[in-house]
Structure formats: C-alpha cells, structure tokens
Amino acid sequence: MDPGREVASRRLAQAYRAVLVLAVTTAGAAALAGWSLLRGRGGADGALFDESVRRAAIDELVTRGSGVWDTFPDATVARVLQPNLKGRAFDTFTVDSNELGLRERPFELRKPDGTTRVVILGDSYVMGYGVAADERVGTHLQRLLQAHAHGAKGPIECLHFGVMTWNVVAECAFLRRQLSLVRPDLVVQVAVRNDLEDNPGARGMGSLSTFWPRFPERGDGLLFVEAPRIAFGTRENSWLHFALDGEGRARMEEGGRAIAELARKVEGAGGKYLLFDHCCGMLAESQRVYAAGLRAEQSLPFPTSISRDDRYRNSERDVHWNRTGHELAALYIYEAVRTRGLLPGLTLDEVPEAKAAAARLLPEAQEEIDRPPSLKKLLERRRIEPELRFDRIDDDAAAQVTGGVVRGGFVSPYASLLLRCEGRRRLWIAGHGLGRAEIDGVHVTVSVDEAAVGTLTLAADGRFETPFDLPDAIARRPFVAVRLQADDFCYAPPDLRHDIVFALERVALVAR
C-alpha cells in the first residue's frame, strides 16, 4: 500500500468530505464528529451547530450534485431548489437559485423600508419552466411598474416564489409562514389546473421522491395526473384535474380555504392579494371554489384559449408560457393592478398594450365562466365505468386510477379510484394477500368520497371478496372516489423503494 499512500490519503480526505456532506443533510452526529476532529474544531456538538461548517458542507453538496431539489423542513412545502445553484442543467434549460432555494436573485428577506414589493407566487409557471429567468412574468411586470408608476418612495421589485409541482396548499404555506418578514405590498398567486396533485418531496440525490412528506402514513402512494401512464404504461392521464369525485373536490376545497386564509393574512399585514386563475378548461369550477373566500377585485381569471395558442406556449407538447406568454400575463396583471388599486401607494399610467390585453382577455374569461365547457364529448370518447378489473387494464380503465395502484393491482398504503356510481348502492372489493407475514392483520379503511363505509382486515395469504354499502346521498352521485387507507404496509423488492399492502383484483359498484 506504500506506493499508493498519497492517493489513498487523498481518497480518505475526499471520503471524509463526502461523509460530512451526507451527515449535515441528515444530521449524522458521528460523521460530523469525524469532520470536526479532522478540522480541529472540537467535538460533534460544535460542528453540528457551527454555521460555517454547515454552509460549507451544503455548498459542497450542491457543487458535487447533479439534481436541483432540496428538502424543505415544512412537510407541506416539501422541497425547494438547492441553494445557490449556478447554471444547473434542468430539463431543457438551466437554473440559478438564491440562498432561499428560489429561482430568484438574492434579495433582502426583511423588506427594506420604502421598497414596493410584489410577490408572484405559484408553481412551474412562476418558476419559469422552459424560459430564461429574465423572461418571466414578474420581470415583465417589474419593468412595467418601474416605467409607469409614480409616487414610489424607493425601489419597486417583483419576486418569484415558485417551485415546479407545488400545489396551492404548499404555495400558501410557504408564503404565509414568512409573511411578516417578506411584507409584500401585493401577492399575485398563479393557480393552475394541476394544483390538485400531491406535492412530492426530494430524494437525497436531488431528484423528486414518490411521496408527499405531509402524509408519511401514505407511503409512496403519490396522486398526480400522470400516475396511470407511469403505473400501467397506458396512454391516458387520470381524471383528477376535473374534480369529478370526492378526491378531486376535497383537494380543490382545501386549496380554496388555503387561498382565503392567505388573502386574509396578506391584507392583515397591510398588503393586497390577487388570484391569477389559470385553471384551463375548468374556470367556472375554480372560480366557484378557489375564489369563494375572495372579493371580486381579488380574482383575475385567465381564459383557456391562451394555453391552446402556439404563440404563448413553449411547444406543441409543453403548455407552459413562453416569453410572449409571460409578457401577456404581465400586461393583464398590470391593468388589473392599475384599475383595481392593488398598489394604493402608487399611481400607474395607462399602458395601451395592457389595457388592450385586459379588454380582450377578461370578457373572454367571463364568458367561459358563464358557459363552461361540457364534459359530454370527452365522456363520449373516454369511458368511466362502475367496475375495474386489474387483470385487464386498458387506457380508459387505468385513467380511473387516481393513484396508489400499479401494474398487477399492487396497492400502496393510500389509493384512490374513480368509479361511475349513478345510484349503485353496494361496493365490492376483491383481492388477495402477498404471502408476506408483515401485512397479516393490517386494517384497510374503505371510504367512498367522504364517507368511511367499512374496513378490510388482511391476511398474509388467501383471497377475499367483501361488500360495503354506500350511504344514499353518496350513491346518487354520478362519480365517486373509492379510497383505501392502510394502517401498515411492507416493502416491495428488489430495491425496497415501494410500499405495498395487498393485491387488488376487482373493485365494482353494483345496484345491490
């Protein structure tokens, strides 16, 4: 080993350095102790709370990593970007981030006196999926305000608080819990159609996880629109976005409550709130639910036609706004801010392009709300049946799985299925155990929409077929969500990265 002593020494130092990176991110006291001794800083306790050591380790992790995500300590928010990224490749574009893990320039968290601060809050649209950072809606809005506002006592800034796949609940939590620091004069929250999905966390390597940390008991039963395609290799997305059943409605209603609470908190702190409603194809429903706790001037619907117009989207397959789409949104917002007095400390000039955008878009959005598109044609093309059999899954059947069931019918600790009901009063669930002693005696609560209808008690082996009766009020609904919530689970081989409970063979609603 002598000839390689120098190489081995370097590798040992690198190993200790890597251990430190992992230790800091997981609070591993033993590894921190090793680093502290190497650095001469004392024991593990000193290193664990030494801010310079912690920051150095995080910087090293970010530099050496290839992913972009970092776990956030609020389970509802789940994750942000890794801090201080510089030109990190992400899909088709690159990302920089600030110390807070946002795709935004560094800024003073505690708003300086005299600054007019606008926060643009949202998900991938606000993060700016597919476009450069300086092409986003907030950048265009900031230029408009700086060029056409009078009466400002200091700088005017628009900040992007947006992370890809955040849902409404996560967005509201992230801003609400730091509101007295940020002190926005105006919050513009961009709500989009996929805000009903779960909000995945981050794995240690900076990639997305398969669960929402807010619900650790659900294991990896992530509910999102593309779940059927990933689970079964089929072609259709789930129906979650349409909020046809109790699963979608409950999620939308929770989002509405979170929006109303954030709006109240923002106004209580002296600011204004505006919901930019970009829920394509379902504006009537999003306005009814998301805007339920808002005043008329606090909501600005954006017509669905924009998401279908190639002038405003990244590509045929990517409906995120391109630079032109971001600019149009900024003009639309500017005119709403001007005419509704949402920055009362400023006097805003009339901008012809902004006025023209509002004159075109607002009536179109209102007409869409008054005359919502019918699902009839879509339901004629895609079936929703009262029965699912997992030995023969086609595109339409798979789309009825909102999440938590995969090929072979294997069920996660939480699963949700959409079924056609229309007066059917009895639910049958058939399946079998996995031959795993770990799930012997596990209880699975069975719910239909918001009503718990019974419990399955599982055996390690053997098949079951169990009926449950639906309450009359729920049985009359056109569509319902069948929800399965287990109180324990086992790990699936070969990598133990999936949680499973039993194998589902058939779930069906029948007349009696």
Side-chain angles (χ1 to χ4, degrees), residues 72-114:
F72 193 72
D74 180 348
T76 298
V77 173
R79 77 197 190 293
V80 292
L81 291 167
Q82 292 176 17
N84 301 318
L85 294 172
K86 300 296 181 186
R88 177 65 55 85
F90 180 70
D91 287 358
T92 60
F93 58 106
T94 60
V95 172
D96 293 352
S97 65
N98 63 15
E99 174 68 17
L100 304 177
L102 297 172
R103 192 188 185 196
E104 186 52 84
R105 61 173 179 79
F107 62 89
E108 292 189 55
L109 184 60
R110 293 181 179 273
K111 186 182 73 172
D113 291 341

Side-chain angles (χ1 to χ4, degrees), residues 1-53:
M1 293 183 63
D2 287 342
R5 185 184 299 275
E6 184 178 350
V7 172
S9 178
R10 286 202 305 269
R11 288 179 176 172
L12 181 61
Q14 291 170 352
Y16 270 114
R17 196 176 189 186
V19 166
L20 166 69
V21 169
L22 295 174
V24 171
T25 57
T26 60
L32 279 169
W35 171 263
S36 299
L37 291 171
L38 285 174
R39 298 283 294 185
R41 289 183 177 272
D45 290 344
L48 182 61
F49 296 103
D50 188 321
E51 183 66 16
S52 63
V53 173

Side-chain angles (χ1 to χ4, degrees), residues 276-339:
F276 188 94
D277 187 349
H278 188 40
C279 292
C280 306
M282 51 180 294
L283 275 183
E285 187 69 4
S286 59
Q287 283 290 289
R288 184 183 69 82
V289 181
Y290 283 164
L294 304 177
R295 299 186 303 275
E297 72 271 15
Q298 293 179 303
S299 180
L300 183 64
F302 202 44
T304 297
S305 64
I306 302 303
S307 67
R308 299 169 179 163
D309 192 326
D310 290 341
R311 292 175 296 173
Y312 304 116
R313 49 193 284 168
N314 280 333
S315 69
E316 182 180 354
R317 297 179 61 85
D318 182 4
V319 299
H320 289 92
W321 301 327
N322 58 18
R323 179 191 175 96
T324 305
H326 280 273
E327 187 172 15
L328 177 65
L331 289 166
Y332 192 36
I333 292 168
Y334 176 89
E335 184 65 5
V337 173
R338 185 184 75 84
T339 58

Side-chain angles (χ1 to χ4, degrees), residues 428-452:
W428 284 90
I429 297 179
H432 59 269
L434 305 172
R436 301 282 297 272
E438 300 96 313
I439 62 99
D440 196 37
V442 166
H443 298 96
V444 179
T445 300
V446 179
S447 301
V448 180
D449 280 358
E450 71 276 11

Side-chain angles (χ1 to χ4, degrees), residues 386-390 417 419-421 424-431 446-448 453 456 463-470 480 482-484 502-512:
E387 178 181 16
L388 291 175
R389 296 184 63 97
F390 288 88
L417 314 167
L419 294 182
R420 184 182 291 272
C421 190
R424 296 173 176 88
R425 296 280 307 279
R426 179 159 290 176
L427 170 70
W428 284 90
I429 297 179
V446 179
S447 301
V448 180
V453 297
L456 292 169
R463 185 178 181 278
F464 61 87
E465 189 165 5
T466 309
F468 303 91
D469 291 329
L470 275 60
V480 294
V482 175
R483 299 170 169 181
L484 306 172
F502 68 98
L504 188 61
E505 299 172 2
R506 171 178 176 263
V507 55
L509 287 169
V510 298
R512 208 49 168 146

